[in-house]
Amino acid sequence: MRSLPKLLGLLAGICGVGAWTAEARAVTATVAERAPSLRGEAATFDLTIGDAVGPVQVRWDMGDETRTEFTVGDVQQVHTYAAPGHYPVLATVKDDVGFTSVAFVHTVHRPLVTGSAAVSTDLVYDQPNARIYTANYENDSVSVLDTNALTQLAEVPVARGPVGLALTAQGKLWVLHRDARSLSIIDTASLAVESEVMLPYASQPMGLAISPTGDAAYVSLMAVGKLLKLDVASGAVVAELVLGGTPRGVSVSHDGSQIYVTRFISEDSHGEVARIDAATFQVSTRFELAADTTTEDTDQQGRGLPNYLFSVGLSPDGLFAWVLGKKDNIFRGPSRDQLALTDDNTVRPLVALLNLAEGVEDVARRIDLDDRNLPNQVVFTPLGDYAFASVAGSALVEVRDAYTGEFVTALKETGFAPRGLALTETDKLFVHASLSRTVAVYDVADVVSSHDLITKKLADIPTVAAERLDAQVLRGKQLFFNSADVRMSDQGYISCASCHFDGADDGRVWDFGSVGEGLRNTVSLVGRRGTGHGNVNWSGSFDEIQDADDNIRDLFGGKGFLSAEQLAVGTVATPRGDKKAGLSPELDALAAFLGSLDTYRPSPFRNADGSLTEDGVAGRAIFERLGCGFCHTGPDGTDSARGKLHDVGTVKASSGMRAGEPLFGIDTPTLNGVWETAPYLHDGSAPTLRDVLVTANPEDRHAFTSALSEAELGQLIAYVQQLDGAVDSDPSEGDGAREEPSERVGCSVTGGPGDRHAPLLAFALVAGSMTFGARRRRPA
């Protein structure tokens, strides 16, 4: 079975053969309009002949290696296809004068289930009202679009951070808010917000899907590892299920019996999708997406660990599911397999296919999208024979043959960061270009019908009237995501968002030995305000965000945003050399975007009112007594702004260098937000905070934790898990700001047990003035 592009190319060549003269083709032939057929059922093809001279002979090639001989009068062919697919049928006709031929693609599909599956998305299609709705995350609104006129009808203000939408059978639009951790319920007739449903504190709701049966809604809580079941009539929570990890994408089968939830950040061993039985609301299957350690790394394929699993698309035949994400090649690097990371073999896009009947991934059918970045949602044609996948980092939608997985075509110029998709009954594809603030509309009728590869862009519909982001910040975020720009990535695989989606981290440890560093744990950029803490990277190797142009050139394979002439001036080409700021509008925009990330996500380890727990309060006293605030100091919880590096016993041979220079220490990371950034330390060698304080703390060089009881150790960990940039009142001090430690206070904790008490006493004496002063108040 051939792919559609090859089929259509072959048929075009056959139909355009120039060896036959006009006289030789006097006989004509046509095939009556035919409908797709089911696998295993007979399909009938009728040939109509005209202008024949003498007896007419016909030869049929059915596209599945079945071929007849020339037979007089064989104008009807009845054929049964054993497998679904797109088959190139060719009828060759000859008479006493010459030849002609008729060629077309016949679609064979599997039996379809009744109804459609539900999937979490930021764009939904309201067929009865001929509308599209989009969730506008940074602008706290929902846009309403007319699918006939292709215009915007309204923009409805909603709570902070809308990320998901779903429609009920009663004409209600549910809006899920990550930042406000709530649900808004909008009446689609009046476009008024009727009610708000609050969700658990700091839970980061991310995925929303309403069962096609209309009896339940499901919400994933990414920060707390849970799935909620809600009553559709009231929005009330009726059950919760602990899944663990970082649940994100939610899908529900056509009959409402099965729920599928992706784990966004994977373990180092495998990716995961959980299947939950709706009746019992318990996990029935955990699909493990195995790490690929054996595929040869080439420019078209590579090894990798499945990660960033965005969503599950359930096929209309109910047999398979497509899981979209990426593969991280954490098996490559100078200290791992002696191979340098390349732009082809660092991060690659992934589509994993789950065999739903057998409860496993069909690894042999795993798809590696070539020259793409961050696929995140898929919709299928009604027959399930084609899949449209939005590829956020590549600013396009890729079309694949759903049976073979082969590339069909790509819909380009979608706008930045395409995510949600909807295919209407009129064969219009709506694509939410979330960072262009538009919905792109395409006519894909020829692809859906297998007649041609021709698509037509019909419109770009604006979604946001008044942009809330500063223009430079928005431009920076667009650049941050976009690998289609050759200055960012020549092959199109990598952008900043590949490892820092939405500014966060991907939970991976990379071997950057080939670019002058070493093993490096991906750092979350959330809350750091760009260079607001001081130098960036674990080694403090960059003193401005614009230095990232080095990584873009060396790791991403991009051409970079600075010209050769600019790099030749002074020490501009050197990290921490002459300033790059002001030399490139694009690099300055990237810096502006990262500078705008000034708020940490609230910690779910706190009390429901945002205050420290009892253990957290006790842990703060231990934190102060140990003098942890000497390095983790001030509102940002770091002394990075002083340019200091520290070796607390964690620098080793695999730690590599500092931009090609000797590495004498590590830049102090903030502890704000560490509750969601495991693993820990610069090389990710500490899976948990306990490991940081115990296993990876040789001779108490990091902190004098060996003197703590198990209860005290647990309290210290509880406090650190609750650090998120919020103001924590101290009963002994009220809300007064603590004094910052003096530069005169020194710390070189390198002694063993024999000389432990003197440093501990010194820390105790200054603890009152050296607290982890996370004093910035959380935004309302």
Side-chain angles (χ1 to χ4, degrees):
M1 196 171 13
R2 303 180 182 94
S3 65
L4 184 60
K6 294 177 182 176
L7 299 183
L8 294 175
L10 173 65
L11 298 183
I14 292 171
C15 295
V17 172
W20 294 338
T21 64
E23 290 77 14
R25 299 181 65 188
V27 62
T28 62
T30 57
V31 172
E33 189 70 23
R34 70 229 163 267
S37 62
L38 278 170
R39 174 197 62 193
E41 292 187 0
T44 301
F45 307 100
D46 290 307
L47 191 65
T48 300
I49 307 296
D51 302 320
V53 177
V56 174
Q57 299 181 65
V58 181
R59 181 178 66 196
W60 292 86
D61 185 335
M62 306 311 297
D64 63 349
E65 300 183 356
T66 301
R67 185 176 181 180
T68 69
E69 297 300 325
F70 277 108
T71 304
V72 174
D74 189 11
V75 295
Q76 186 182 77
Q77 188 68 207
V78 179
H79 188 70
T80 300
Y81 292 92
H86 302 100
Y87 294 92
V89 180
L90 174 65
T92 304
V93 179
K94 68 178 182 178
D95 63 1
D96 289 347
V97 176
F99 298 82
T100 192
S101 63
V102 179
F104 55 89
V105 174
H106 179 68
T107 299
V108 180
H109 63 92
R110 298 188 182 98
L112 305 176
V113 298
T114 302
S116 300
V119 62
S120 50
T121 177
D122 66 355
L123 176 150
V124 293
Y125 174 44
D126 181 356
Q127 182 177 359
N129 293 313
R131 291 174 175 174
I132 289 286
Y133 305 99
T134 67
N136 307 320
Y137 178 71
E138 290 95 349
N139 288 282
D140 301 339
S141 67
V142 169
S143 294
V144 186
L145 313 180
D146 186 315
T147 61
N148 295 320
L150 303 184
T151 57
Q152 186 192 85
L153 297 173
E155 185 179 355
V156 183
V158 293
R160 289 184 300 117
V163 291
L165 302 173
L167 282 164
T168 71
Q170 294 73 35
K172 307 298 181 183
L173 177 67
W174 284 32
V175 185
L176 184 68
H177 305 280
R178 179 180 189 178
D179 297 345
R181 44 108 184 173
S182 66
L183 277 164
S184 299
I185 300 177
I186 297 176
D187 179 74
T188 55
S190 64
L191 296 181
V193 177
E194 291 187 336
S195 60
E196 296 277 348
V197 178
M198 296 307 298
L199 298 172
Y201 176 78
S203 56
Q204 288 191 48
M206 284 300 300
L208 165 67
I210 294 178
S211 173
T213 59
D215 59 345
Y218 303 97
V219 172
S220 62
L221 305 179
M222 195 162 71
V224 295
K226 294 181 179 180
L227 179 70
L228 300 183
K229 180 178 181 179
L230 286 75
D231 178 75
V232 175
S234 65
V237 176
V238 296
E240 69 174 42
L241 174 65
V242 176
L243 292 174
T246 49
R248 187 181 180 112
V250 181
S251 298
V252 187
S253 62
H254 67 286
D255 58 1
S257 65
Q258 307 293 326
I259 308 126
Y260 297 84
V261 183
T262 65
R263 177 172 179 165
F264 189 56
I265 305 295
S266 301
E267 298 179 356
D268 280 343
S269 57
H270 63 274
E272 184 177 286
V273 174
R275 177 163 60 185
I276 297 100
D277 179 80
T280 63
F281 204 53
Q282 294 296 317
V283 175
S284 60
T285 311
R286 289 190 184 267
F287 294 87
E288 292 191 358
L289 280 57
D292 181 353
T293 60
T294 59
T295 295
E296 180 184 3
D297 291 345
T298 70
D299 62 345
Q300 295 185 1
Q301 63 181 20
R303 295 170 290 171
L305 169 73
N307 197 17
Y308 275 5
L309 304 182
F310 287 96
S311 63
V312 177
L314 299 169
S315 62
D317 55 27
L319 298 178
F320 292 93
W322 286 38
V323 183
L324 280 69
K326 66 165 182 166
K327 287 193 304 183
D328 293 332
N329 198 345
I330 57 174
F331 314 109
R332 188 178 177 108
S335 66
R336 287 171 168 165
D337 64 355
Q338 292 74 57
L339 295 175
L341 291 174
T342 67
D343 54 325
D344 281 303
N345 291 112
T346 300
V347 176
R348 298 187 69 90
L350 164 79
V351 179
L353 273 70
L354 308 183
N355 185 317
L356 301 183
E358 297 182 8
V360 296
E361 180 195 358
D362 189 342
V363 178
R365 295 182 63 195
R366 184 179 286 185
I367 303 171
D368 190 328
L369 306 181
D370 200 30
D371 299 335
R372 301 289 189 251
N373 178 33
L374 293 174
N376 59 97
Q377 188 167 332
V378 63
V379 296
F380 295 94
T381 51
L383 295 179
D385 57 331
Y386 293 112
F388 294 84
S390 58
V391 190
S394 301
L396 56 77
V397 173
E398 186 156 305
V399 187
R400 290 264 164 173
D401 186 313
Y403 300 134
T404 66
E406 292 187 341
F407 175 81
V408 174
T409 188
L411 310 179
K412 298 185 177 181
E413 300 179 355
T414 60
F416 293 110
R419 297 193 186 182
L421 303 171
L423 181 63
T424 71
E425 71 284 356
T426 58
D427 296 330
K428 290 186 183 124
L429 183 72
F430 290 80
V431 185
H432 185 201
S434 60
L435 292 182
S436 290
R437 316 309 197 208
T438 57
V439 168
V441 188
Y442 297 85
D443 180 346
V444 294
D446 283 341
V447 173
V448 172
S449 63
S450 298
H451 286 164
D452 210 325
L453 300 181
I454 296 174
T455 61
K456 181 181 179 182
K457 189 173 186 180
L458 302 176
D460 281 313
I461 311 173
T463 56
V464 175
E467 176 61 48
R468 292 190 178 184
L469 290 187
D470 173 84
Q472 189 182 37
V473 170
L474 177 58
R475 177 58 179 148
K477 189 167 186 179
Q478 292 169 344
L479 290 162
F480 189 85
F481 270 82
N482 187 31
S483 65
D485 188 331
V486 295
R487 295 173 298 177
M488 177 67 75
S489 176
D490 184 52
Q491 297 297 315
Y493 287 111
I494 311 176
S495 66
C496 307
S498 299
C499 300
H500 299 281
F501 193 81
D502 286 339
D505 68 288
D506 60 3
R508 301 278 74 84
V509 178
W510 299 94
D511 186 349
F512 292 147
S514 59
V515 292
E517 293 284 317
L519 294 184
R520 295 292 183 265
N521 184 10
T522 303
V523 175
S524 173
L525 307 177
V526 173
R528 294 172 183 254
R529 309 188 311 282
T531 55
H533 291 185
N535 289 355
V536 296
N537 296 334
W538 283 102
S539 65
S541 56
F542 294 169
D543 62 358
E544 55 181 337
I545 297 301
Q546 289 83 347
D547 280 332
D549 198 62
D550 291 19
N551 283 346
I552 290 170
R553 293 170 182 274
D554 295 338
L555 287 172
F556 299 8
K559 299 184 183 301
F561 293 97
L562 295 174
S563 67
E565 292 75 17
Q566 289 173 313
L567 291 170
V569 175
T571 58
V572 169
T574 305
R576 305 188 312 281
D578 291 340
K579 292 297 182 183
K580 296 179 176 71
L583 300 181
S584 163
E586 291 82 7
L587 292 176
D588 291 348
L590 279 171
F593 167 59
L594 294 188
S596 73
L597 302 179
D598 58 359
T599 304
Y600 301 94
R601 300 199 182 278
S603 170
F605 291 92
R606 288 174 173 260
N607 290 320
D609 63 357
S611 63
L612 292 177
T613 65
E614 183 177 346
D615 277 349
V617 172
R620 177 172 59 187
I622 298 169
F623 187 95
E624 295 171 352
R625 188 175 80 233
L626 293 179
C628 303
F630 179 73
C631 296
H632 297 287
T633 185
D636 293 320
T638 173
D639 62 359
S640 179
R642 301 173 185 170
K644 296 181 179 296
L645 300 177
H646 305 277
D647 181 4
V648 292
T650 59
V651 175
K652 56 198 78 164
S654 61
S655 301
M657 307 181 77
R658 186 193 192 205
E661 301 171 356
L663 177 69
F664 298 112
I666 297 298
D667 185 75
T668 304
T670 180
L671 296 183
N672 281 322
V674 296
W675 64 270
E676 63 175 344
T677 61
Y680 302 106
L681 302 180
H682 71 281
D683 58 357
S685 57
T688 67
L689 290 172
R690 181 185 176 84
D691 289 311
V692 173
L693 297 170
V694 179
T695 310
N697 186 17
E699 300 179 327
D700 281 341
R701 291 176 63 182
H702 200 165
F704 292 118
T705 57
S706 63
L708 299 179
S709 67
E710 279 298 314
E712 289 174 319
L713 186 63
Q715 290 168 336
L716 178 59
I717 292 170
Y719 174 59
V720 174
Q721 285 178 320
Q722 294 173 49
L723 294 171
D724 58 7
V727 173
D728 297 310
S729 61
D730 188 326
S732 64
E733 298 180 353
D735 282 325
R738 295 186 177 94
E739 185 178 320
E740 292 299 315
S742 167
E743 285 288 351
R744 294 192 301 273
V745 177
C747 175
S748 179
V749 187
T750 58
D755 58 356
R756 181 177 302 147
H757 298 289
L760 181 59
L761 176 61
F763 278 126
L765 290 173
V766 298
S769 62
M770 294 192 313
T771 180
F772 182 66
R775 287 303 192 186
R776 207 175 314 118
R777 291 195 178 273
R778 190 188 317 287

